[in-house]
Structures are given as structure tokens and as C-alpha cells.
Amino acid sequence: GGQSRNVQPFSDEDASIETMSHCSGFSDPASFTEDGPEVDEEATQEDLEYKLKGFIDLTLDKSAKTRQAALESLKSAFSSKILYEFIMERRMTLTDSIERCIKKGKSDEQCAAAGLACLLCVQMGSGIESEEIFKTLGPVLKKIVCDGTASIQARQACATCLGICCFIVTDDITELYSTMECLENIFTKAYQRDRDTNGVSSTHNTVLHISALLAWTLLLTICPVNEVKKKIEMHLHKLPSLLSCDDLNMRIAAGETLALLFELARETDADFFYEDMELLTEKLRALATDGNKHRAKVDKRKQRSVFRDVLRAVEERDFPTEMVKFGPERMYIDCWVKKQTYDTFKEILGSGMQYHLQSNDFLRNVFELGPPVMLDAATLKTMKISRFERHLYNSAAFKARTKARSKCRDKRADVGEFF
């Protein structure tokens, strides 16, 4: 007892307990209201902001464990709630904390700080305030990405953060090109990996190369047409070499990047022709039908699924349209550019992606969804299914699925009709 409620005296253990108890509901925005009693929203918001202020103060704590726990708590909150006004008042404090943690922290703390920087820009959207944040953090992120002595995980997180923040913030074309060049210097090292005899570019660096490639691809989607043509000429004949990489995620990243490059090339030039098309489609077809016994079944299934789509994109200019539901709205992902953008932000926002698609003005602009749909409480209540109804529906679906599968598995089923 006796101590005032400031954050300095907290021990590491206290901080982690606070983090777990305060942020357990952040990952699911619906958990605040679902099937619960009426709550005072203003009081709840005040309580949340009080906790977040404490976490911001804890990012300056002497203990690395406490700082990291505070960063993770802020990430959970920023990914699951829109906190524009709260952040606007404290953006410089948050930027300073992130900068300090990236510069002076160890690997895990740097990763958490880079993740928080992404979410800070997602919350602020594209504007002068975000530009100020990127002017401060951009050089620090580039320095870590290019620093061979920094941990691979920290460099990987900073490469992703650099790409996302630049995508959100920059209207300066020279800054865009500079960031892309920084990322190119990283992932192009993977082109020479097989020819490398001294082991400098080992599989240990593959995760960094993947992150740099995906961040670069995201930025390519907002480049002017002339620059897009230059980059396609530079990389389209080199990228297929990455399809032979031992790492599944690298093969998938390279395949999806190739599909996106072909899509952009055909949009910018109706008569686009790729000389080695036959060799490329042969490679893609082999990956789409891979039966290598040395690979895990899960990996093979994932690879075949991705490369069937990539092969269709390259050969037939086709894209398998996907539908994303969020609240009462629907969004169709109908091209590789949109898929790349959606996957990038989903990786950052996690389970908060649907909430941000409903409420975040910046993301709604990116996906051309228009202003947020405002629904009154009565409409929301009519749309909501009770837990009991959900249970009945799931139970019925489970029984139907079990029946159908049992029929397929029944060895006594008459199979003669198939011959």
C-alpha cells in the first residue's frame, strides 16, 4: 500500500501481469460487448486510455522485459481499436519511445517496436503527422535493415516496417525510390545464393530476404508506370531462380511476386511478351504438382494450392476471386495487387483486420470502400446471432459434415458406378 499509482515502481512480473490482464480482450473487439450487460462506453474508454498511458510510460522503463511487455500491450490495443485522438496527442512521445527501443533494444524489443511503428502509421493514416513520424523513424529503420551485425529477426521486422510505413506515408517520389533501393539491396542477395561458395548468404538470411522482397513488392504497386516497367525489366528474368529455393516461404513469395509482376506488366503494356515463358510455366507446373516425398504433407498442399493460382495468372491471366466479410460489408479481392496489399495489412493487424476494414478511414481508402458504414444499435442487434443460435447452427453443420464424410469413408459403398 502507500505508493501512488505511477508506473515507475512496477517490477517486471507486475508489468507482465498487467499486460496480460489489461490486453487479453484487445485481440477481439467483439469481446467488449458480446452478449454482455450494458456498459458505460465513456468510462470504458477512459479506463482504456489510463492503461495505455501507463504502457507508454513503461516503454521508458530500465527493464528490457518491462519495455517489451509494454510495447506488445500497445500493439494489441492499436490493432484492435481505433485510437486516433488519443494517439494524435501523444504521437511524438510514442515516436521517441519507438526510436529509442529500436536503437538501443535487443532483438525481441526491436521487433516489438518495429511492429508498433507499423500500427502507429496505420492508425494515423496518410497525412502530415505520419510524415513526421516516418522522417524520424525511416533513417533508423534503414540503418538496422542494412546492419549486418544486427539480429536477422530485427532486420526482418524493420524491413517489413519500412515498406509498410513508406506505403502509408510517403508522397515524396525520391523517398519511395530510396526505400525500394534499400530493400532491393537486401533481397537481390538471394539471387546469388546458389552460386555463393563462401557461405555468406546462407539460409539463415532467407527470412530477411523474404520480408525485403514482400515489402518491395508492396511499394512497387504504388510506383509510376515508367518505374514499374524499369523494375519489371530488372527483376522478371531473375526472380524465377528463387523458385528453386529450399525454403517453402521463399518459393511462395517469389511465385506470388512473379504473378503480380506479370499482372502489372500486362496492365502497362498490352503487347507484353516474356521470352522464357515456356521454361517458367514448366517450373510453375512442377511446383503446382509437386509430389516430393521428402517434404511435409502440409507444405506440399500449401505449395500446390499457391502455385496453381500463380500458374493460372501467368498462363491464362486469371485470378481466383476471394471474398472477405467484415460486419455487414463484403470486399472482393480480384487481382494480385489487391491480394498483396490485403495480406500485408492482415499480417500486421491480425484478428483486428476486420475491425479496421470497418472503421479505419485510411484502409477503407486503400481498398476503395468509401466512408465507414454507420449502423445504429437497433440494426446491430437485429444482425447479431445469439450464442445459443450459433451453437445450434454449428452443431447441425457438424452432424451434416460427419455424415457426408462417413459415407465417403464407408468401404461398403458401391464404387462400381465410377468404372
Side-chain angles (χ1 to χ4, degrees):
Q3 289 183 342
S4 60
R5 292 188 68 186
N6 70 30
V7 292
Q8 202 61 29
F10 286 6
S11 68
D12 292 349
E13 192 176 319
D14 292 334
S16 60
I17 291 168
E18 287 283 301
T19 300
M20 290 168 66
S21 62
H22 292 335
C23 296
S24 59
F26 286 166
S27 59
D28 180 13
S31 64
F32 285 107
T33 55
E34 186 172 1
D35 296 340
E38 291 292 321
V39 293
D40 184 345
E41 286 187 16
E42 193 174 329
T44 304
Q45 184 67 18
E46 284 178 8
D47 186 44
L48 173 64
E49 289 185 5
Y50 177 79
K51 291 168 185 172
L52 293 179
K53 285 173 195 171
F55 291 134
I56 291 170
D57 289 339
L58 281 170
T59 59
L60 305 174
D61 196 87
K62 289 180 182 178
S63 162
K65 188 178 175 183
T66 303
R67 292 196 303 272
Q68 189 184 332
L71 291 167
E72 294 291 351
S73 299
L74 289 168
K75 278 175 62 182
S76 297
F78 286 13
S79 63
S80 59
K81 297 283 284 179
I82 299 295
L83 299 160
Y84 181 82
E85 298 296 335
F86 175 84
I87 293 171
M88 177 67 87
E89 294 173 11
R90 298 164 182 83
R91 66 186 187 281
M92 297 315 296
T93 306
L94 280 161
T95 306
D96 289 344
S97 292
I98 291 168
E99 183 184 11
R100 190 179 288 106
C101 291
I102 292 175
K103 277 182 174 178
K104 298 183 179 180
K106 300 290 184 188
S107 179
D108 289 343
E109 186 180 339
Q110 288 174 311
C111 291
L116 183 60
C118 290
L119 291 167
L120 184 60
C121 286
V122 170
Q123 287 271 350
M124 298 302 293
S126 51
I128 295 169
E129 294 81 14
S130 292
E131 284 179 28
E132 290 173 2
I133 293 168
F134 190 61
K135 275 178 186 172
T136 303
L137 297 180
V140 182
L141 293 167
K142 284 180 184 176
K143 188 176 179 182
I144 298 292
V145 169
C146 301
D147 183 1
T149 62
S151 81
I152 290 294
Q153 291 74 22
R155 294 175 71 192
Q156 178 191 6
C158 288
T160 300
C161 180
L162 188 60
I164 289 173
C165 292
C166 185
F167 177 88
I168 294 170
V169 169
T170 190
D171 283 329
D172 182 356
I173 204 76
T174 55
E175 181 59 42
L176 174 63
Y177 293 164
S178 164
T179 303
M180 290 184 76
E181 188 180 343
C182 172
L183 295 166
E184 269 177 326
N185 291 337
I186 300 299
F187 77 78
T188 49
K189 289 175 184 173
Y191 294 155
Q192 280 79 38
R193 191 175 64 83
D194 293 332
R195 293 195 291 270
D196 190 18
T197 54
N198 58 16
V200 173
S201 185
S202 65
T203 51
H204 180 60
N205 293 329
T206 302
V207 288
L208 172 61
H209 297 156
I210 293 168
S211 294
L213 174 61
L214 293 175
W216 176 86
T217 308
L218 178 70
L219 294 179
L220 185 66
T221 64
I222 58 170
C223 277
V225 173
N226 290 339
E227 188 65 18
V228 169
K229 286 181 179 178
K230 283 182 196 173
K231 296 298 185 188
I232 288 172
E233 285 174 16
M234 192 186 301
H235 293 282
L236 196 54
H237 66 286
K238 293 179 182 176
L239 273 167
S241 67
L242 301 183
L243 297 174
S244 305
C245 181
D246 294 335
D247 189 282
L248 170 68
N249 292 322
M250 175 56 96
R251 294 196 298 275
I252 288 174
E256 292 186 337
T257 301
L258 277 167
L260 187 142
L261 289 183
F262 269 91
E263 182 176 276
L264 290 174
R266 286 160 176 164
E267 281 178 9
T268 54
D269 180 6
D271 301 320
F272 172 75
F273 175 75
Y274 182 64
E275 291 177 2
D276 299 322
M277 180 64 90
E278 193 174 332
L279 185 63
L280 177 59
T281 52
E282 193 178 310
K283 260 189 178 181
L284 295 174
R285 194 172 285 108
L287 289 165
T289 56
D290 188 7
N292 194 325
K293 290 181 181 178
H294 300 294
R295 287 181 184 151
K297 284 184 180 179
V298 176
D299 288 353
K300 282 191 285 190
R301 275 199 297 270
K302 186 178 180 183
Q303 177 182 288
R304 287 198 290 257
S305 172
V306 169
F307 279 97
R308 279 196 295 268
D309 294 341
V310 172
L311 183 62
R312 281 170 61 186
V314 172
E315 266 192 327
E316 304 167 27
R317 307 186 181 206
D318 192 20
F319 181 86
T321 303
E322 301 170 27
M323 184 178 70
V324 178
K325 297 180 182 179
F326 47 99
E329 297 177 86
R330 305 287 181 271
M331 177 177 76
Y332 290 92
I333 298 174
D334 52 7
C335 63
W336 284 98
V337 168
K338 206 168 186 179
K339 182 184 187 303
Q340 166 73 11
T341 310
Y342 177 80
D343 288 348
T344 301
F345 283 100
K346 191 172 189 302
E347 186 70 26
I348 291 298
L349 290 164
S351 60
M353 182 66 178
Q354 291 187 344
Y355 178 78
H356 276 265
L357 281 174
Q358 284 179 269
S359 312
N360 187 311
D361 288 329
F362 164 73
L363 271 190
R364 292 185 69 86
N365 285 334
V366 167
F367 293 108
E368 299 175 340
L369 297 169
V373 176
M374 302 302 291
L375 297 171
D376 56 40
T379 310
L380 284 170
K381 200 168 184 180
T382 57
M383 289 168 57
K384 201 172 190 179
I385 303 173
S386 72
R387 285 186 181 181
F388 179 66
E389 288 173 316
R390 268 205 309 272
H391 173 72
L392 290 177
Y393 173 79
N394 289 337
S395 180
F398 177 77
K399 284 178 183 174
R401 193 163 57 243
T402 306
K403 261 187 174 180
R405 285 177 178 172
S406 297
K407 282 182 182 177
C408 292
R409 291 173 183 152
D410 193 347
K411 292 178 183 177
R412 294 168 298 174
D414 184 12
V415 292
E417 60 187 335
F418 294 108
F419 296 99

